[in-house]
């Protein structure tokens, strides 16, 4: 059993979550994220769960890790000094962007500042056509001259992006060879044909620059972590969670760290996917609320929506186009600054605002007693009785309830004429409305009925707010899984070893060139297998093929599944039928007699999914006696009430209670609203049902 132990670590903005599983047993822990050296928090957390379990480092068979380090480096601009080399005449593409304003009515908008400033963007004389014809020969001498300029600037990372390199990479590879001969060995070099081999040069160049920008930092961190794990005799294979929901090796992650952006939230979506399959839920709203952000994701038939584009470090909250675009496989979700550490204030119009900035782990909310002075959502939840001050994070972090209430009164109540619990109630109501608005917009943009979904709530904060959020968006059923407080880390342990390869190739669906597509898919499948299969051992891999399709002349695509087989000319028409069905679902119409085309193709090779254990109907049994009572504020009743506090693991399958109530556990508490009942299903999950 010990040899099968699996370990997961999820580094968030406030907490680092650790989960250890051995057979049917699970141990978990939360420690504050050590921002200055994230690996220290990971090592501390591993020590905690090993002590809980009695296992040794040598008993661990696999270690899976997700981190926000790459995301934070991009947001905080703490990556390497990066230069960019491109085709002559095109160095300003990453500043010109889409050549349109993301906000038409704001005359003073601030565009995203490029990661590579203009003084570090260089040009090389060369030009290839889209068909690979050499229009202008590559100037090797000019490339060598640039190496000297780059070295003199103290650059630590170089990104290379040429026109049409997604289809023909010879010039990019040649310049990389030239630079490698002349630059110091510690300078990292990335080429766009390997990082993001897709059309649309702005996004391709932006992704390559972002990858180069964080690669020195991420490679250094990953190898430091590996060395510290070896020092503690933990020699298990280390896999990294990627933004698309799959696992990859340390070596691949160090080479393409941009794929680790949003790796933590991806783990949560994988957990929701498993629960949807276990409970036979066709439509799911995944709600993940941690210490820094809240994430909303929609799933259909157990599959989260996926995308090929993501924006990092938006200058304007929730405004598309105001961030840095990257082309990576990513699980589609909306993320807002609404976590336990999100700071509450009163603005100039005397309105309570929450986030998007967070107190993080240092100094943290006021109640942490680590120097924070501005109240956060956790302070409000504590003041409302939702959190036990003596048992936060399993009792590892004592909370200062008096300090939280004083900060809320000073910063919120005194400015609005509110007293007692009302400043805290105002903060939680606003943060819940922010999340509800984000969920509504996310569903509407995808043509989905949010009220038809079952909510799956996890993360340290989600079970505290799930009932109120469900009331606001019309959801009637909520599931809180076991280990909800460390849900994303548990999701890591359920994720497949997977890798996605993407390449652009324009193919008409009417005059379908099956030979061209088959050759492309075979090549991409081989490349993806080379990454995945060494980690699978004797296990078999599965293959999934996706085509990004559009009507001819459009500038946006829809992802369409493609049969995994040798395609024929007739398959072009079948792909078009699937495309038009999805197009009508999203946009409410089809365009008759309009030709369609596939622009980009992706192949994902992954380990086979384990069949989930299905939830069975549990026989009814009496509810356990509550451990205590606590006064909480119930927003549906609009007043404070005395609520019984149940210990989660006292509630066996079939037990049911009525709200208002609290179901407590080590890493979170589930608040059962007055309009809800709570029961436990055969898998140990809390099922909240709305009765009013």
């Amino acid at each position: 059993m010990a040899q099968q132990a699996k370990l997961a670590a999820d580094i968030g903005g406030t907490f680092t979550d650790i989960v250890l599983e051995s057979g049917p047993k699970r141990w978990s822990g939360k420690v504050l994220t050590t921002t200055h050296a994230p690996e220290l928090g990971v090592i501390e957390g591993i020590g905690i769960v090993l002590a809980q379990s009695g296992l040794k480092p040598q008993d661990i068979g696999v270690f899976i890790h997700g981190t926000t380090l790459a995301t934070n480096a991009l947001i905080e601009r703490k990556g390497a000094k990066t230069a960019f080399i491109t085709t002559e005449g095109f160095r300003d593409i990453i500043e010109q962007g889409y050549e349109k304003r993301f906000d038409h009515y704001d005359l003073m908008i601030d565009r995203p500042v490029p990661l590579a400033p203009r003084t570090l963007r260089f040009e090389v004389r060369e030009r290839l056509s889209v068909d690979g014809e050499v229009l202008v020969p590559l100037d090797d001498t000019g490339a060598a001259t640039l190496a000297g300029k780059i070295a003199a600037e103290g650059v630590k990372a170089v990104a290379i992006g040429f026109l049409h390199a997604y289809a023909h990479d010879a010039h990019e590879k040649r310049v990389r060879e030239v630079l490698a001969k002349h630059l110091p060995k510690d300078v990292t070099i990335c080429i766009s044909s390997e990082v993001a081999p897709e059309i649309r040069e702005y996004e391709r160049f932006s992704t390559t620059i972002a990858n180069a920008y964080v690669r020195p930092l991420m490679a250094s961190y990953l190898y430091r972590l590996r060395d510290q794990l070896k020092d503690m005799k933990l020699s298990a294979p280390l896999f990294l969670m990627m933004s698309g929901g799959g696992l990859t090796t340390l070596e691949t992650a160090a080479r393409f760290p941009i794929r680790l952006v949003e790796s933590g939230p991806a783990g949560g979506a994988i957990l929701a996917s498993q629960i949807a399959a276990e409970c036979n839920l066709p439509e799911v709203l995944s709600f993940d609320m941690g210490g820094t952000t809240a994430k909303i994701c929609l799933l259909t038939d157990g599959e989260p929506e996926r995308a090929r584009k993501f924006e990092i470090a938006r200058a304007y909250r929730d405004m598309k186009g105001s961030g840095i675009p990257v082309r990576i496989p990513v699980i589609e979700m909306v993320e807002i600054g609404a976590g336990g550490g999100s700071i509450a204030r009163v603005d100039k119009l005397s309105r309570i605002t929450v986030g998007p900035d967070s107190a993080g782990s240092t100094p943290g909310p006021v109640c942490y007693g680590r120097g924070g002075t501005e109240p956060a959502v956790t302070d409000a939840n504590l003041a409302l009785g939702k959190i036990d001050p003596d048992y936060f994070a399993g009792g590892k972090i004592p909370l200062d309830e008096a300090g939280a209430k004083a900060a809320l009164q000073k910063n919120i109540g005194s400015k609005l004429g509110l007293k007692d619990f009302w400043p805290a109630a105002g903060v939680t109501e606003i943060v819940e409305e922010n999340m509800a608005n984000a969920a509504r917009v996310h569903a509407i943009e995808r043509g989905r009925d949010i009220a038809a979904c079952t909510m799956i709530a996890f993360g340290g904060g989600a079970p505290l707010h799930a009932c109120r959020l469900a009331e606001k968006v019309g959801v009637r059923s909520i599931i809180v899984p076991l280990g909800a407080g460390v849900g994303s880390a548990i999701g890591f342990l359920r994720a497949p070893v997977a890798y996605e390869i993407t390449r652009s190739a324009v193919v008409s669906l009417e005059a379908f060139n099956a030979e061209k597509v088959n050759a492309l898919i075979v090549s991409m499948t081989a490349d993806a297998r080379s990454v995945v299969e060494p980690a699978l051992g004797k296990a078999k891999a599965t293959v999934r093929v996706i085509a990004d399709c559009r009507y001819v002349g459009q500038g946006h695509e829809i992802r369409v599944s493609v049969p995994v087989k040798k395609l024929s000319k007739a398959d072009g028409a079948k792909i078009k039928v699937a495309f038009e069905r999805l197009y009508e679902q999203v946009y409410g119409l089809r365009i008759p007699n309009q030709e369609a085309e596939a622009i980009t193709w992706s192949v994902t090779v992954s380990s086979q999914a384990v069949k989930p254990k299905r939830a069975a109907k549990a026989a009814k049994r009496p509810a356990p006696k509550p451990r205590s009572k606590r006064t909480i504020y119930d927003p549906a009743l609009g007043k404070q009430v005395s609520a019984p506090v149940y210990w989660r693991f006292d509630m066996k399958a079939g037990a049911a209670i009525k709200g208002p109530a609290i179901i407590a556990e080590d890493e979170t508490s589930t608040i059962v609203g007055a309009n809800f009942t709570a029961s436990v299903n055969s898998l140990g999950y809390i099922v909240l049902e709305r009765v009013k």
Side-chain angles (χ1 to χ4, degrees):
M1 181 181 291
Q3 291 181 346
Q4 299 175 355
K6 299 186 293 183
L7 179 69
D10 174 25
I11 299 179
T14 304
F15 288 100
T16 294
D17 298 340
I18 309 291
V19 173
L20 176 63
E21 287 186 354
S22 182
K25 297 182 179 179
R26 178 191 297 157
W27 302 269
S28 60
K30 274 183 179 287
V31 298
L32 288 171
T33 295
T34 47
T35 309
H36 64 287
E39 67 273 14
L40 298 180
V42 174
I43 298 300
E44 179 189 355
I46 292 174
I48 290 172
V49 294
L50 286 176
Q52 290 174 353
S53 66
L55 297 176
K56 299 177 181 179
Q58 298 91 326
D59 296 327
I60 296 172
V62 64
F63 178 28
I64 302 167
H65 182 30
T67 174
T68 59
L69 189 58
T71 310
N72 293 343
L74 289 163
I75 292 172
E76 298 169 8
R77 299 301 175 108
K78 293 183 178 179
K81 190 174 184 179
T82 303
F84 177 54
I85 299 175
T86 189
T87 304
E88 186 177 53
F90 291 88
R91 72 168 176 163
D92 290 325
I93 277 182
I94 64 166
E95 211 149 355
Q96 293 169 341
Y98 299 110
E99 295 186 333
K100 65 179 181 181
R101 303 171 64 85
F102 57 80
D103 187 341
H104 295 290
Y105 303 106
D106 185 349
L107 300 180
M108 306 299 291
I109 60 172
D110 294 319
R111 293 185 53 80
V113 178
L115 297 172
R118 197 168 196 273
T119 54
L120 293 179
R121 300 202 297 264
F122 304 97
E123 298 176 346
V124 169
R125 185 167 174 75
E126 69 83 36
R127 188 72 175 266
L128 291 173
S129 73
V130 69
D131 299 317
E133 179 185 357
V134 178
L135 303 177
V136 178
L138 175 64
D139 181 5
D140 278 19
T141 303
T145 302
L146 285 182
K149 295 180 180 179
I150 290 170
E153 293 286 350
V155 165
K156 294 298 180 183
V158 179
I160 303 171
F162 293 152
L163 289 188
H164 306 306
Y166 65 87
H168 306 283
D169 59 9
H171 283 187
E172 284 192 349
K173 288 183 174 180
R174 176 56 186 156
V175 171
R176 180 172 61 182
E177 291 175 7
V178 172
L179 293 180
K181 291 179 181 179
H182 294 87
L183 291 175
K185 298 296 183 183
D186 63 344
V187 175
T188 190
I189 304 173
C190 301
I191 60 175
S192 73
S193 52
E194 292 179 350
V195 176
E198 300 181 45
I199 61 169
R200 299 189 174 97
E201 55 270 11
Y202 168 49
E203 294 167 358
R204 176 161 55 91
F205 293 173
S206 177
T207 307
T208 308
I209 292 169
N211 192 73
Y213 185 78
V214 298
R215 190 153 88 173
L217 173 75
M218 288 303 299
S220 173
Y221 163 71
L222 291 173
Y223 290 126
R224 282 200 318 273
L225 176 62
R226 180 194 62 183
D227 293 343
Q228 292 204 27
L229 293 172
K230 286 183 178 179
D231 290 343
M232 66 182 298
K233 309 300 182 185
L234 201 165
S235 57
L238 173 59
F239 293 98
L240 277 297
M241 187 75 191
M242 295 185 295
S243 57
L247 305 177
T248 192
T249 60
L250 181 145
E251 291 75 20
T252 302
R255 190 179 176 198
F256 301 114
I258 194 63
R259 291 202 177 201
L260 303 184
V261 170
E262 293 298 288
S263 62
I270 295 300
L271 174 66
S273 178
Q274 181 201 27
I275 295 168
E278 290 172 337
C279 300
N280 194 28
L281 304 174
E283 299 288 337
V284 164
L285 171 70
S286 165
F287 171 37
D288 175 7
M289 184 179 181
T292 305
T293 60
K295 284 77 66 176
I296 304 290
C297 178
L298 295 171
L299 298 87
T300 301
D301 296 328
E303 280 295 317
E305 292 192 18
R306 287 178 163 83
R308 287 288 314 156
K309 180 182 173 183
F310 181 71
E311 276 188 21
I312 301 169
R314 283 180 174 170
Y316 289 70
R317 181 177 177 177
D318 300 330
M319 187 168 289
K320 291 182 179 180
S322 66
I324 300 169
V326 292
R327 297 286 294 185
I328 55 173
V330 64
I331 290 178
E332 187 78 72
M333 63 181 72
V334 60
E335 183 171 7
I336 63 171
S342 296
I343 296 172
R345 301 182 179 90
V346 175
D347 67 11
K348 294 178 180 179
L349 298 178
S350 295
R351 301 174 303 183
I352 297 175
T353 64
V354 180
D357 54 330
S358 171
S361 60
T362 304
V366 174
C367 59
Y368 284 13
R370 296 164 64 92
T373 57
E374 295 182 286
V377 173
T378 296
D379 294 307
N381 283 325
L382 178 62
L384 293 175
K386 294 181 178 181
I387 296 173
D388 185 341
D390 299 321
Y391 208 73
F392 184 69
K396 300 180 186 70
I397 304 175
L399 300 182
D400 178 6
E401 185 174 1
K405 290 180 176 179
L408 284 160
Q409 185 59 41
K410 176 183 177 182
N411 291 272
I412 307 294
S414 63
K415 297 178 180 180
L416 299 177
L418 301 175
K419 295 182 179 180
D420 299 325
F421 62 87
W422 289 110
V427 170
T428 58
E429 186 70 12
I430 292 300
V431 76
E432 286 157 354
E433 188 60 34
N434 288 346
M435 294 185 291
N437 279 332
R440 292 186 197 104
V441 171
H442 188 62
I444 290 169
E445 287 178 343
R446 282 148 190 81
R448 302 280 292 278
D449 178 11
I450 198 170
C453 295
T454 297
M455 180 186 295
I456 298 177
F458 54 92
L464 297 168
H465 299 271
C467 284
R468 185 57 174 160
L469 179 60
E471 288 175 336
K472 286 178 175 291
V473 299
V475 166
R476 302 197 65 83
S477 181
I478 306 166
I479 291 178
V480 181
L482 286 167
V486 291
S488 288
I490 295 172
F492 293 173
L493 299 177
R494 308 292 177 262
V497 179
Y499 198 72
E500 181 175 338
I501 298 286
T502 302
R503 291 177 189 160
S504 289
V506 180
V507 178
S508 169
L509 298 184
E510 274 75 19
F512 189 65
N513 188 337
E515 184 178 352
K516 176 181 177 180
V517 173
N518 285 328
L520 181 67
I521 291 174
V522 167
S523 172
M524 295 165 66
T525 303
D527 288 348
R529 284 186 182 278
S530 69
V531 174
V532 171
E533 289 186 339
L536 294 183
K538 296 181 180 180
K540 292 184 178 180
T542 62
V543 178
R544 184 179 63 174
V545 181
I546 299 289
D548 290 357
C549 300
R550 68 185 185 186
Y551 286 118
V552 173
Q554 289 184 330
H556 57 275
E557 296 82 45
I558 289 179
R559 292 169 59 84
V560 179
S561 294
V562 176
V564 181
K565 64 172 188 175
K566 186 175 182 179
L567 300 174
S568 67
K569 185 176 178 62
D571 286 309
K574 295 177 182 177
I575 295 172
K576 183 177 181 181
V577 169
F579 159 68
E580 291 195 312
R581 183 170 59 249
L582 289 171
Y583 192 94
E584 185 173 19
Q585 179 182 329
V586 175
Y587 298 107
L589 55 83
R590 303 186 186 197
I591 303 178
N593 304 317
Q594 177 65 34
E595 292 185 5
E597 60 189 1
I599 299 299
T600 299
W601 304 80
S602 64
V603 172
T604 302
V605 175
S606 66
S607 56
Q608 292 184 334
V610 178
K611 286 188 177 181
K613 184 179 180 180
R614 299 287 182 178
K617 188 173 182 179
K620 290 184 178 180
R621 67 172 69 195
K625 291 183 179 180
R627 295 278 185 103
S628 62
K629 286 194 172 184
R630 205 156 68 231
T631 300
I632 65 171
Y633 169 72
D634 190 292
L637 300 177
K639 62 181 182 179
Q640 287 183 312
V641 294
S642 178
V645 180
Y646 298 89
W647 183 243
R648 175 164 188 166
F649 300 100
D650 290 344
M651 295 185 65
K652 306 302 180 183
I657 60 173
K658 293 181 179 180
I662 302 171
I663 304 175
E665 55 187 297
D666 278 345
E667 287 105 5
T668 189
S669 291
T670 299
I671 302 300
V672 185
N675 293 334
F676 288 81
T677 61
S679 60
V680 177
N681 71 8
S682 63
L683 299 178
Y685 301 162
I686 297 172
V687 180
L688 300 163
E689 298 285 351
R690 190 174 172 184
V691 293
K692 290 183 181 178

